Amino acid sequence: MTDVQNGKPATPDKPREEWTGQVGFILAAIGSAVGLGNIWRFPGVAYENGGGAFLIPYLVALITAGIPILFLDYAIGHRFRGSAPTAFRRLGRGKVWMESLGWFQVAIAFVIGLYYTAVIAWALSYFGFSFDLRWGDDPAGFLTGEYLQVGDPGFSLEFVPGVLIPLLIVWLAVILVLVLGVAKGLQRVNVIFLPLLVVAFSILVVRALLLDGAAAGLNALFTPDWAALGDPNVWIAAYSQIFFSLSIAFGIMVTYASYRRRRSNLTGPGLVVAFANSSFEILAGIGVFATLGFFAFQQGIEVGELEGLTGVGLSFITFPAIVSQMPGGPIFGALFFGSLVMAGFTSLISVLQVVSAAVQEKFGISRRSAAVGVGILSAILSVLLFATTTGLLALDVTDQWANNVGIVASAVISTILVIWVLRSGPELRYHLNAVSTFRVGRIWVLLVGLLAPVVLGYMLIQRIITLIIEGYEGLPPWYLAVMGWGTIAFVIVAAIVLPMFRWRRSPDDFTAWPPYPPAGPVAASNSPTREGASS
């Protein structure tokens, strides 16, 4: 291995960090996938797109796009043993434009980490507010007025103490976890938080099912509208929901898979992660709509007449209003917002690990230095942008562009470059099959290389046209240009500029394992012993 900057042999690398085993990896991957979107996005999307009938396109999207791209991320990260820039550069045999793709994904993760932290800070505040029902009789007015103190679109340095303090607490916790590393930090947090999340949310769901009107809520969610299946937008919504809920195409699963031992089962755990994520979404749908049914019953209206069924409105306006009216409301509210904090935090640390690992490898610095450096820089930007009176608007616009334009573009570009330009589909398929119990056929390459870019490309173009023509939420064009398109410009500039910096240790002196093309048929005696099968 050569020191690129000095042209001298580099100091041998330390052994790469690893998960302690398959269970640790699965829990961490599920913890990353199960996030805020599972709780506040899926129920509303399902309700608005055919109710029970939505589960059909949802499952089709899971099998034809979600799981195939998840396997693609796993194969790239595990075979090329690095964060997104390292792994994509090695996949491209040293091509700088493939490293740029990796930095494109890292930049998206960096942006998402900035505002995702703010939402967790809100949930942390509301966890405390639950005990005295601080929002009173007007949760909407409390959120935008007393709590967030929302001002006009623009940029303000008028900090909101109620947001600033929990935001700093979340950042301190994140930096600490990243400093502790993969096994002692990320894995340990997920091993503790994920079971707690499942238990807390299950209690919440059981309580919700016992409320008056719960059956009406479930009927509203699951009554199938079969005619909706003929609407292309319903199918697009299904692919969109699957795509955004699996933490794919922006470096997380590439990075996480790189910490697995070389002899590790990939596809079997991938299926567990994918179906566990979907199971939690359906559980969340049951809990949320049973609760909404109670709220509608209390007001003497139909569930369909309620407002604020998704996103920030559902979590921070509708749910507080429900908590105020139900028996044992404070406990119910604490369970709900506690679940939001845990789900969000396990996803957040996976997002920021993408950035920390990339910086660590590129600049040859220690894990602690990378975690502290990335954490402090991110915390400063996060506080300046999202702890002020303009934080809510900035968060909403940045999230819209980073998710619907940035991540989708990353997925489309990745699948086209990997499958069509580099023609690496057979090699990655070989890798998956060489180490895994569940083998993938040629159809996997077809799904990743054809169906995924076509569907996601359509979503991307449709969204860009809508944002250009209609704008977003009636906000001023200059503001959308800065916070929306400016986010995309930042990601592109990062993808161009960061590969220009020299690697402290060259990532190119690397031999992928197992060798490809294989010298002959993979004899049973030569097949890698899989971690999942042997331990």
Side-chain angles (χ1 to χ4, degrees):
M1 184 169 291
T2 304
D3 185 320
V4 175
Q5 190 169 13
N6 301 319
K8 299 177 181 178
T11 304
D13 293 332
K14 292 181 179 178
R16 187 166 187 76
E17 290 187 275
E18 292 179 343
W19 308 106
T20 58
Q22 182 160 276
V23 173
F25 167 73
I26 290 175
L27 289 176
I30 293 174
S32 173
V34 173
L36 301 175
N38 294 67
I39 299 173
W40 76 18
R41 191 174 190 276
F42 171 80
V45 171
Y47 172 72
E48 292 169 355
N49 290 279
F54 179 76
L55 295 179
I56 293 176
Y58 177 82
L59 287 174
V60 171
L62 175 66
I63 293 170
T64 60
I67 291 174
I69 298 179
L70 184 66
F71 285 175
L72 177 71
D73 278 358
Y74 280 3
I76 293 172
H78 189 253
R79 182 165 181 77
F80 298 101
R81 315 295 293 165
S83 63
T86 304
F88 278 109
R89 183 182 173 104
R90 288 172 173 168
L91 172 64
R93 307 296 189 266
K95 293 181 175 61
V96 175
W97 47 269
M98 283 300 290
E99 184 187 335
S100 286
L101 174 59
W103 285 112
F104 188 91
Q105 296 192 351
V106 171
I108 293 172
F110 177 75
V111 170
I112 290 175
L114 298 183
Y115 65 79
Y116 209 83
T117 319
V119 181
I120 298 171
W122 299 354
L124 189 60
S125 295
Y126 271 67
F127 174 79
F129 297 162
S130 298
F131 294 99
D132 60 3
L133 305 180
R134 187 81 54 91
W135 45 78
D137 298 326
D138 182 14
F142 176 82
L143 175 68
T144 58
E146 185 175 342
Y147 180 60
L148 295 178
Q149 301 175 24
V150 176
D152 295 328
F155 300 97
S156 167
L157 289 178
E158 186 179 348
F159 293 104
V160 180
V163 177
L164 177 62
I165 294 172
L167 184 57
L168 291 175
I169 292 173
V170 174
W171 275 113
L172 286 174
V174 170
I175 293 172
L176 176 62
V177 172
L178 295 182
V179 165
L180 290 173
V182 173
K184 295 182 179 177
L186 281 76
Q187 179 175 312
R188 189 168 294 175
V189 166
N190 281 285
V191 167
I192 296 171
F193 274 20
L194 198 60
L196 275 178
L197 170 63
V198 172
V199 171
F201 208 81
S202 297
I203 294 172
L204 185 149
V205 170
V206 171
R207 179 70 186 93
L209 290 173
L210 297 176
L211 293 169
D212 293 333
L218 295 181
N219 286 335
L221 175 61
F222 289 117
T223 299
D225 175 11
W226 300 112
L229 297 181
D231 183 353
N233 289 323
V234 170
W235 289 82
I236 293 297
Y239 276 89
S240 175
Q241 176 61 33
I242 284 294
F243 182 73
F244 291 128
S245 68
L246 277 177
S247 296
I248 51 181
F250 63 112
I252 293 177
M253 290 305 160
V254 171
T255 306
Y256 267 27
S258 75
Y259 296 125
R260 296 215 64 188
R261 296 170 188 165
R262 282 194 182 273
R263 296 177 173 85
S264 295
N265 189 359
L266 295 179
T267 56
L271 293 175
V272 173
V273 171
F275 284 105
N277 177 65
S278 294
S279 298
F280 191 88
E281 287 195 321
I282 293 173
L283 180 70
I286 292 171
V288 168
F289 267 82
T291 311
L292 291 174
F294 164 77
F295 194 41
F297 175 80
Q298 291 293 101
Q299 299 185 57
I301 60 176
E302 298 294 325
V303 173
E305 298 176 57
L306 293 173
E307 296 181 351
L309 300 183
T310 61
V312 172
L314 172 69
S315 297
F316 296 100
I317 296 176
T318 305
F319 255 85
I322 296 170
V323 168
S324 295
Q325 294 188 19
M326 66 187 299
I331 295 176
F332 190 88
L335 284 173
F336 178 75
F337 290 109
S339 297
L340 276 185
V341 171
M342 289 187 285
F345 192 77
T346 53
S347 296
L348 175 66
I349 57 177
S350 70
V351 169
L352 291 169
Q353 179 64 21
V354 172
V355 187
S356 180
V359 170
Q360 181 184 345
E361 293 170 10
K362 178 78 179 185
F363 299 102
I365 59 178
S366 68
R367 179 187 70 217
R368 175 173 300 183
S369 299
V372 172
V374 168
I376 291 177
L377 175 63
S378 301
I380 292 171
L381 293 174
S382 178
V383 165
L384 290 175
L385 289 170
F386 304 112
T388 68
T389 54
T390 54
L392 175 61
L393 294 175
L395 188 153
D396 190 21
V397 173
T398 307
D399 175 59
Q400 181 66 211
W401 263 260
N403 268 295
N404 292 298
V405 180
I407 296 181
V408 180
S410 170
V412 173
I413 295 169
S414 300
T415 52
I416 291 174
L417 290 182
V418 173
I419 302 300
W420 293 105
V421 178
L422 296 177
R423 297 185 177 279
S424 297
E427 178 183 356
L428 296 173
R429 174 174 164 254
Y430 165 77
H431 183 87
L432 287 171
N433 289 338
V435 300
S436 303
T437 49
F438 176 80
R439 298 171 66 84
V440 297
R442 289 188 177 86
I443 192 172
W444 173 73
V445 179
L446 188 67
L447 292 172
V448 173
L450 188 60
L451 181 65
V454 168
V455 174
L456 296 176
Y458 176 81
M459 285 169 48
L460 177 64
I461 293 171
Q462 185 186 52
R463 174 56 62 179
I464 289 175
I465 291 174
T466 301
L467 291 173
I468 291 175
I469 296 177
E470 300 178 8
Y472 181 68
E473 296 291 328
L475 292 169
W478 72 266
Y479 188 75
L480 300 182
V482 174
M483 295 305 300
W485 297 112
T487 296
I488 301 304
F490 165 78
V491 172
I492 294 173
V493 169
I496 294 172
V497 171
L498 286 168
M500 296 179 183
F501 289 89
R502 292 181 176 179
W503 289 82
R504 181 66 180 84
R505 300 183 181 89
S506 172
D508 299 332
D509 185 10
F510 173 83
T511 302
W513 181 91
Y516 183 85
V522 182
S525 58
N526 294 328
S527 294
T529 303
R530 291 179 292 270
E531 174 193 328
S534 61
S535 63

